[in-house]
Amino acid sequence: MTTAPSTILVLPGALGDAGLGPRLGDWDIAIGAAEAECGFALLDDHLGTLRDAGQLLIRDDAALTLLDPERGMLTQDAGRAERFVADLDDGPVKAALGHVPPLRSLLAGASGRLGRRDLAVTDDEGKTRVRARLTTLRPDDGGPALTVAALQGLRGYDGALDRLRDHLQGAADAAPGAWSRMLMPPGEPYVAKPDIPVAEDDPAWRVATDIIATYLDVARRNEDGIIADHDTEFLHDYRVALRKVRSVLSLFRGVYADDATAGLKAAASGLMAPTGRLRDLDVYLLAREDYFAMLPASLHEGLDLMFCALEKDRRAAHRRMARHLRAAPYRTQMTDLQAALAAGPPKGPLADDAVGDYARGLIWKRYRKVCRIARAIDADTPDEQVHALRIACKKLRYLMEFFAPLVPASALKPVLKPLKRLQDNLGLFNDYSVQQDFLRDFMDRQAPSGDRRDLVLAQSIGALIAVLHERQREERARIMENFARFDGPRIRERARSLFHRKEAQG
């Protein structure tokens, strides 16, 4: 007998044997002996990528089981305790998790005990009409159990599958997307870029305070992940959130009293300061494969020595960062900063201005600054000036994102898209520049070993610096090329019409 497509049902409760049978109309329901229970954990990343896709990933002692709204139930051997999807053995579960961001680790959420039973429905001639695999999850926290029923129809007996499904669905919640939420802990899902409501006539002071408070909360929601060292994206998101806080404080001039602005900026800068070294090391270690690809195999021995040293540095940097985040002074500083925002910073002269015109003025001013810096860049411009353009573009991008609710997305896209492309070029240019400095500093800090390792290391790093220098030169040309597009008449007119309203109307 061949099988027909399967159906997945999610049933609240443990679904005891007594509630399942023994009869389905004039057919018998036979329930197999329960398999030995084992531990389980539900896996998802910090973003809730699986939850948002309506998937539920269960890891038990032997298998990974994925419930997918389109593919049904997929299983493969669990293997070792992998952190990232890329680390999983090839199999149907891994293939169905291709949408999970590669730098995000799979984290254990709810855990508990898991048991499995098989169920079969037979007719009065003893022929099997439909089967089901029942997986019951009992969470450790004492919450309600959940049973997943995977129904397997047999070709030619479609009606039997429908009857069993109807039999079970009375107690089932089969809504796609509800699976993972049933056992996930309560609380707002993490969002790295939360939507912050902004209306045309909102006071600028209130909007600035909302943005800062929101991104301080984003930063705080990454603290535990940094300490636990789940993946590098926790620190990345933490830094981006604090950088946005600093940008608001530096760009929204006149919204807060000068003393308040200076105090808040100093506090935000103080929070950022301890994060740089660890982030730099993360970036280099993430680019390990790229570095090896840059050099011939004959120079890889030196890279092995370098990355061995960087891994050691990174472990030490992470310990320092974790101690910092756990320490009372940091906790107090964060709590005081959030309390100051909740109380409301002293207002400046522009605090009550309607944010619509205020925002357009900020964006137009920043846009013109970007163009002014970029137009002066050529093949001989010092790196510092290109770096200034990168910072100016980043601030322009933040402003456009903060005030995106005030502009139709379709109107903003033609300006934002080429800006992102230009930022990509500027980011690479800066990376190549910073990496060369880092490698020179790394070499300066190495104590001579007195053997051939000194020469091996110097050869590899010298070759890397040469490759990075050439790439930086090529990237400068791309910056000039893409800025020419960004500074074209079409985008210039679009920016003017969106952000320089009075002139556009005149």
Side-chain angles (χ1 to χ4, degrees):
M1 185 67 70
T2 57
T3 60
S6 63
T7 295
I8 304 292
L9 299 177
V10 179
L11 310 172
L15 210 65
D17 291 356
L20 292 176
R23 302 281 291 173
L24 176 58
D26 53 351
W27 295 342
D28 291 325
I29 295 180
I31 303 172
E35 298 177 6
E37 286 194 348
C38 61
F40 81 89
L42 301 185
L43 304 180
D44 203 345
D45 65 13
H46 189 49
L47 305 174
T49 301
L50 277 71
R51 175 202 62 219
D52 292 345
Q55 296 174 313
L56 184 66
L57 181 58
I58 306 167
R59 181 191 179 90
D60 62 43
D61 296 344
L64 284 170
T65 302
L66 179 69
L67 306 181
D68 183 283
E70 295 182 359
R71 302 174 180 87
M73 178 181 287
L74 307 172
T75 63
Q76 68 176 66
D77 290 344
R80 54 193 172 82
E82 299 86 354
R83 292 174 61 197
F84 300 92
V85 170
D87 298 333
L88 300 177
D89 293 337
D90 289 339
V93 173
K94 180 178 181 178
L97 295 177
H99 60 296
V100 178
L103 297 182
R104 282 293 185 186
S105 60
L106 295 173
L107 307 174
S111 60
R113 304 294 295 173
L114 174 152
R116 292 190 175 94
R117 293 165 292 164
D118 289 321
L119 176 154
V121 176
T122 56
D123 60 20
D124 52 3
E125 296 179 354
K127 294 180 179 178
T128 300
R129 296 295 188 109
V130 60
R131 298 189 183 97
R133 178 79 161 161
L134 305 180
T135 303
T136 298
L137 309 175
R138 293 182 173 82
D140 284 332
D141 63 4
L146 173 151
T147 298
V148 179
L151 281 64
Q152 183 62 62
L154 301 176
R155 200 167 301 282
Y157 294 135
D158 293 346
L161 187 143
D162 293 340
R163 288 181 64 180
L164 180 58
R165 182 173 53 216
D166 292 343
H167 180 66
L168 298 174
Q169 269 184 334
D173 177 6
W179 296 347
S180 55
R181 292 189 178 92
M182 296 183 70
L183 291 179
M184 292 300 279
E188 289 292 322
Y190 171 75
V191 180
K193 292 182 180 179
D195 291 330
I196 302 172
V198 180
E200 184 76 21
D201 295 330
D202 285 344
W205 178 89
R206 204 207 75 196
V207 173
T209 305
D210 285 350
I211 294 172
I212 294 173
T214 299
Y215 278 102
L216 278 179
D217 182 63
V218 171
R220 300 221 66 174
R221 297 192 65 177
N222 285 285
E223 291 169 348
D224 291 344
I226 297 170
I227 293 171
D229 207 15
H230 289 311
D231 61 53
T232 57
E233 292 304 279
F234 284 93
L235 179 62
H236 174 261
D237 281 10
Y238 178 88
R239 283 170 51 84
V240 169
L242 291 181
R243 198 181 295 135
K244 289 184 177 180
V245 169
R246 285 198 316 189
S247 293
V248 171
L249 291 167
S250 65
L251 293 170
F252 285 46
R253 292 177 183 169
V255 169
Y256 299 137
D258 289 346
D259 288 352
T261 300
L264 291 169
K265 286 174 70 173
S269 296
L271 292 170
M272 281 287 285
T275 67
R277 178 64 179 171
L278 179 57
R279 180 58 190 169
D280 286 348
L281 290 165
D282 282 343
V283 169
Y284 294 115
L285 291 169
L286 288 171
R288 182 195 307 253
E289 292 184 8
D290 294 336
Y291 278 118
F292 276 87
M294 288 180 194
L295 300 184
S298 59
L299 293 174
H300 286 185
E301 184 181 355
L303 293 185
D304 285 330
L305 292 171
M306 182 184 78
F307 279 108
C308 183
L310 293 184
E311 286 175 348
K312 183 179 178 182
D313 287 351
R314 201 244 173 224
R315 288 194 291 273
H318 175 259
R319 285 195 295 271
R320 288 194 297 273
M321 188 69 202
R323 278 198 302 271
H324 166 72
L325 293 178
R326 288 194 194 98
Y330 168 79
R331 299 281 173 175
T332 301
Q333 185 182 14
M334 261 294 191
T335 303
D336 289 349
L337 186 54
Q338 290 180 302
L341 287 164
K347 292 184 176 180
L350 304 181
D352 295 323
D353 282 12
V355 78
D357 286 340
Y358 181 84
R360 279 185 283 275
L362 289 181
I363 295 173
W364 180 244
K365 182 178 178 182
R366 184 59 48 176
Y367 167 78
R368 287 191 300 166
K369 182 171 183 177
V370 165
C371 293
R372 187 169 62 250
I373 297 174
R375 286 169 189 158
I377 289 177
D378 58 27
D380 300 319
T381 303
D383 288 359
E384 292 75 14
Q385 193 166 333
V386 182
H387 178 67
L389 176 61
R390 185 178 72 88
I391 299 300
C393 285
K394 186 174 290 187
K395 291 182 176 179
L396 176 60
R397 169 91 169 269
Y398 286 163
L399 285 172
M400 288 185 179
E401 290 177 349
F402 292 152
F403 298 118
L406 300 176
V407 183
S410 58
L412 189 59
K413 186 177 179 181
V415 181
L416 202 50
K417 188 174 179 180
L419 175 62
K420 290 178 179 176
R421 192 180 300 122
L422 180 59
Q423 278 190 281
D424 289 342
N425 298 135
L426 289 163
L428 286 172
F429 180 90
N430 185 65
D431 288 348
Y432 296 143
S433 174
V434 170
Q435 287 169 26
Q436 292 172 65
D437 292 341
F438 179 91
L439 291 170
R440 282 189 283 267
D441 179 67
F442 175 82
M443 278 305 297
D444 290 342
R445 289 187 293 107
Q446 298 307 301
S449 62
D451 57 31
R452 65 180 291 276
R453 286 179 298 180
D454 294 338
L455 178 61
V456 168
L457 192 61
Q459 286 176 330
S460 296
I461 290 183
L464 264 185
I465 290 174
V467 172
L468 290 168
H469 176 75
E470 179 59 21
R471 291 191 176 188
Q472 184 185 8
R473 191 184 64 79
E474 294 170 356
E475 205 60 43
R476 182 190 291 261
R478 295 189 187 97
I479 290 170
M480 295 163 62
E481 181 181 325
N482 274 327
F483 173 71
R485 293 196 186 97
F486 182 71
D487 196 33
R490 186 174 57 84
I491 295 176
R492 197 183 311 143
E493 184 54 36
R494 176 60 64 97
R496 182 186 298 277
S497 67
L498 289 174
F499 307 121
H500 196 222
R501 178 172 288 179
K502 290 181 181 177
E503 185 169 324
Q505 289 175 343

